[in-house]
Amino acid sequence: MAHKDTHTTASKLVIYPLLAIFVILAVLPFLYMISLSLQSDADMFSGRVIVIPEVLQFSNYVTIWEKAPFARFMLNSAIIAGTITVLHVLFDPLIGYVFAKMDFPGRRFMFVALLATLMIPFFIRLIPLYVMTAEMGLLNTYPGLILPFAMSAFGIFLMRQFILPIPDDLVAAARLDGAGEFRIFIDIILPQLKPAIATLALLTFVFQFNEFIWPLVVVSTEKMRPITTGLTLFNQEFFTQWNLTAVGGMLLFLPCFILFVAMQRYFVQSVMLSGMK
Amino acid sequence: MTYKTKRTLIAYAFLSPAIIYFIVYFFWPIAVEFWASFRDGQPLIGESTFIGFRNYARILSDQLAIKAIKATLIYAIGSVVFTLVIALGLSALLVGPVRAKNTIRAILFFPYIISFVISALMWRAILDPYTGLLNAALVSLGLPQQFWLVNPDTAIWTLVGVSVWKDIGYAVLIYIAAIQGIPAHLYEAARMDGARRHHLFRDITLPLLMPTTLFLAVVIMIGSLQEMALPYLLTQGGPANATRLYSLHVFETAFQGLDIGYASALSFAMFMLILFITWVQFKLLHRDIKHV
């Protein structure tokens, strides 16, 4: 017994410091971003690396709005990510329902074709998508930024996974009572799907809020930039001003952070559902 | 109209927006890309001529492409190996009697969900040779400063490091779920036979985690093979093209070189590779599942 106790104490002395190192590494960039965002220009050019600034310069959070049109960038991001989220919430559950509870010829083929789209990397579609968007005259417009992400196989698959466990008998009984499929979807499926839809909305919004490559390609004027490309290009134009860049980073970071903390459990659940099948 | 026909029509009516969307935004672009990969000139945007497989053959004599393929292989294999080894170790610790394990898991998972833009900007600030946090720490410990992203020899490995940092929480999450799914009676039986703790890990946990490891390896591999945002934001492919990953090479060939036929062949070749890896994964996982 005594032997076992020393064993666990010794392993604790290894395990906790080890875990602490990884935990610190995980959050270090974010802590440093907070620190940078509160440093003055003098701190920046002092030639020293400052971890905790002596004077916290909160005015950076005001100055930033004058340096670049961040309000406009934020609005663009909200419009783009918000519209895409609404489209997903409208379409993905209904299509997930069709695959989970309706039987029709071609279902298997359609489902496999849908899942196959998950294997198509975005950068492979990039060139044709760009040409298509240009031909439709949608470069530098909200529809051009939104349409390529209007639905996702991932979202449909996620919704199907949540709809499958709802008892078939419930659906069959409603059909016998003469309820139409749309009625069944609205009255029986949707009410049980609320947490799942919240998860879908959260995931979609966060991913779209963070989208970088597509706006980089499609947007050519400053006023159409979302916060991601707005911030990056701002950083290239004012590359020495890490304190202001960090404030911009906080603007991009905070909405996602708040959503993440509020819905951490759902987040983890949905990532695992998609990962483990 | 029979009941069955009516149901089928309703199903397809519901599906129609999705059918149109996926054809227009997924299957049609792939078809167009495939077509363009056999053409020279300005396919998709102007005059072009059919040149057979010459665009594909050109990849092998394109020094920049060869360099990009090498960098991408280092990046992808490095990311997979380091992420999986570290994640496996952390998961093994985190299923044991450790305090605050859920909090630790959440914190480790955090970098995974944060945008590449923030991750890249902050790592650039930390890795800056002169004003960065990391070199300040090294110097204060009496170690020489490093030119992380500026030195062509270290840049690609630094990129691997950032990618591992980003993916580790996801791998830990999936590993922990898999470890917790291993039936307890297997361990009990082995313990009755007098097996020690590290034996249990080596002889029971590790083999039973094979399908999960394979799944994670493929997911991370495929993700790394198409990585573009991270090198674009951290190094723009430099220094001396050391971090010009394959997708970045495709991107610049298409959008800066306007060499659309060749860029299409480059991306289609990668698509084939990714399909092949996915197919191998299906085969291997199927066999594993049958054996268990």
Side-chain angles (χ1 to χ4, degrees):
Chain A
M1 258 338 224
H3 173 76
K4 204 188 169 191
D5 278 343
T6 50
H7 175 74
T8 46
T9 316
S11 56
K12 268 179 191 162
L13 282 175
V14 180
I15 290 171
Y16 283 108
L18 207 61
L19 286 175
I21 290 172
F22 280 100
V23 164
I24 290 168
L25 273 177
V27 291
L28 184 78
F30 307 107
L31 297 179
Y32 193 47
M33 176 160 66
I34 297 170
S35 160
L36 277 175
S37 76
L38 294 169
Q39 297 187 17
S40 66
D41 291 356
D43 289 337
M44 287 285 102
F45 295 113
S46 65
R48 296 178 296 124
V49 173
I50 292 163
V51 180
I52 300 169
E54 269 169 47
V55 183
L56 302 179
Q57 186 166 315
F58 286 100
S59 62
N60 287 343
Y61 281 79
V62 182
T63 324
I64 181 98
W65 304 93
E66 295 152 12
K67 294 282 179 181
F70 275 96
R72 178 72 201 214
F73 296 163
M74 286 295 261
L75 180 71
N76 289 338
S77 284
I79 291 173
I80 298 160
T83 311
I84 292 171
T85 306
V86 170
L87 288 171
H88 278 231
V89 167
L90 284 178
F91 285 113
D92 294 358
L94 183 63
I95 292 155
Y97 168 70
V98 175
F99 282 119
K101 296 294 176 197
M102 291 180 77
D103 199 18
F104 55 92
R107 179 171 89 154
R108 208 186 129 72
F109 170 77
M110 302 275 264
F111 192 62
V112 170
L114 180 78
L115 289 187
T117 64
L118 286 173
M119 275 172 269
I120 304 173
F122 185 68
F123 87 87
I124 285 162
R125 293 187 295 140
L126 197 55
I127 306 164
L129 273 186
Y130 176 80
V131 175
M132 249 169 65
T133 307
E135 277 171 357
M136 290 192 264
L138 296 177
L139 290 182
N140 223 20
T141 64
Y142 290 126
L145 284 157
I146 289 164
L147 281 174
F149 303 104
M151 274 182 237
S152 81
F154 169 77
I156 295 169
F157 181 70
L158 194 67
M159 289 301 104
R160 173 184 173 270
Q161 295 301 88
F162 280 109
I163 295 169
L164 277 179
I166 298 174
D168 284 341
D169 294 348
L170 209 62
V171 179
R175 276 182 196 144
L176 278 178
D177 286 346
E181 293 297 332
F182 195 66
R183 192 69 293 132
I184 297 173
F185 173 70
I186 299 283
D187 287 347
I188 298 176
I189 306 292
L190 266 191
Q192 306 202 46
L193 226 50
K194 275 180 201 158
I197 290 175
T199 310
L200 173 72
L202 167 81
L203 282 176
T204 310
F205 188 85
V206 170
F207 278 122
Q208 294 305 325
F209 197 77
N210 289 328
E211 175 60 34
F212 172 71
I213 298 290
W214 185 241
L216 182 74
V217 169
V218 169
V219 172
S220 55
T221 61
E222 189 174 81
K223 77 177 182 39
M224 285 305 292
R225 282 181 199 163
I227 180 95
T228 44
T229 57
L231 179 60
T232 323
L233 298 170
F234 167 82
N235 176 253
Q236 282 163 11
E237 286 152 20
F238 300 88
F239 64 96
T240 43
Q241 286 194 282
W242 277 113
N243 52 349
L244 293 183
T245 300
V247 177
M250 292 296 285
L251 292 182
L252 178 57
F253 169 76
L254 282 174
C256 297
F257 179 65
I258 293 165
L259 282 174
F260 174 69
V261 171
M263 299 191 60
Q264 209 253 106
R265 205 160 49 89
Y266 293 122
F267 224 142
V268 168
Q269 202 181 28
S270 58
V271 167
M272 278 170 52
L273 255 177
S274 58
M276 305 302 285
K277 267 211 264 206
Chain B
M1 193 161 37
T2 65
Y3 180 66
K4 217 184 146 196
T5 333
K6 200 180 153 210
R7 294 266 321 265
T8 304
L9 282 178
I10 293 170
Y12 276 97
F14 285 166
L15 285 179
S16 54
I19 295 173
I20 293 167
Y21 169 77
F22 282 102
I23 287 175
V24 171
Y25 281 99
F26 281 84
F27 296 109
W28 176 248
I30 292 290
V32 163
E33 185 95 318
F34 183 63
W35 173 82
S37 74
F38 294 104
R39 301 185 78 83
D40 194 22
Q42 297 292 340
L44 300 179
I45 51 176
E47 296 285 305
S48 66
T49 47
F50 179 78
I51 54 162
F53 282 94
R54 243 178 289 165
N55 279 328
Y56 289 92
R58 193 178 142 192
I59 299 173
L60 300 173
S61 58
D62 174 358
Q63 287 312 310
L64 219 46
I66 300 289
K67 199 165 183 182
I69 291 169
K70 280 183 189 155
T72 308
L73 285 178
I74 294 176
Y75 178 77
I77 294 170
S79 300
V80 168
V81 171
F82 286 111
T83 307
L84 292 191
V85 169
I86 299 171
L88 190 60
L90 283 172
S91 321
L93 294 182
L94 284 172
V95 287
V98 175
R99 262 175 236 193
K101 56 175 112 176
N102 287 335
T103 314
I104 295 173
R105 252 169 58 175
I107 293 173
L108 291 175
F109 185 58
F110 189 53
Y112 180 73
I113 61 145
I114 289 305
S115 79
F116 281 106
V117 172
I118 296 176
S119 308
L121 282 176
M122 285 310 110
W123 277 109
R124 259 172 58 198
I126 291 170
L127 295 166
D128 188 285
Y130 303 107
T131 62
L133 193 60
L134 188 57
N135 275 348
L138 287 182
V139 168
S140 72
L141 290 171
L143 296 166
Q145 60 181 167
Q146 297 291 325
F147 292 84
W148 302 103
L149 291 167
V150 186
N151 179 344
D153 296 328
T154 54
I156 187 72
W157 293 104
T158 310
L159 208 64
V160 169
V162 176
S163 132
V164 171
W165 169 83
K166 216 165 175 344
D167 284 345
I168 212 99
Y170 174 74
V172 166
L173 189 73
I174 304 284
Y175 263 137
I176 287 178
I179 294 174
Q180 285 169 344
I182 297 175
H185 67 81
L186 289 178
Y187 291 107
E188 279 154 26
R191 246 184 245 120
M192 299 263 257
D193 294 340
R196 302 274 293 269
R197 227 178 116 185
H198 58 278
H199 287 146
L200 295 182
F201 185 74
R202 194 191 63 197
D203 296 334
I204 298 178
T205 315
L206 219 49
L208 286 178
L209 285 181
M210 262 317 280
T212 310
T213 304
L214 192 62
F215 166 80
L216 283 172
V218 169
V219 168
I220 296 169
M221 173 73 78
I222 291 177
S224 312
L225 288 176
Q226 21 175 302
E227 186 57 73
M228 184 165 129
L230 209 54
Y232 182 89
L233 288 160
L234 274 176
T235 54
Q236 300 264 332
N241 293 316
T243 60
R244 188 183 170 96
L245 297 189
Y246 193 84
S247 50
L248 200 58
H249 182 59
V250 176
F251 179 80
E252 294 192 339
T253 307
F255 288 97
Q256 281 161 25
L258 289 175
D259 199 348
I260 303 219
Y262 180 50
S264 299
L266 279 170
S267 42
F268 221 81
M270 176 59 82
F271 184 42
M272 289 293 126
L273 178 67
I274 288 172
L275 282 187
F276 176 72
I277 295 174
T278 314
W279 177 77
V280 170
Q281 181 211 15
F282 270 122
K283 288 281 156 203
L284 290 174
L285 275 182
H286 253 312
R287 212 177 51 199
D288 264 335
I289 289 162
K290 264 186 231 151
H291 276 292
V292 170

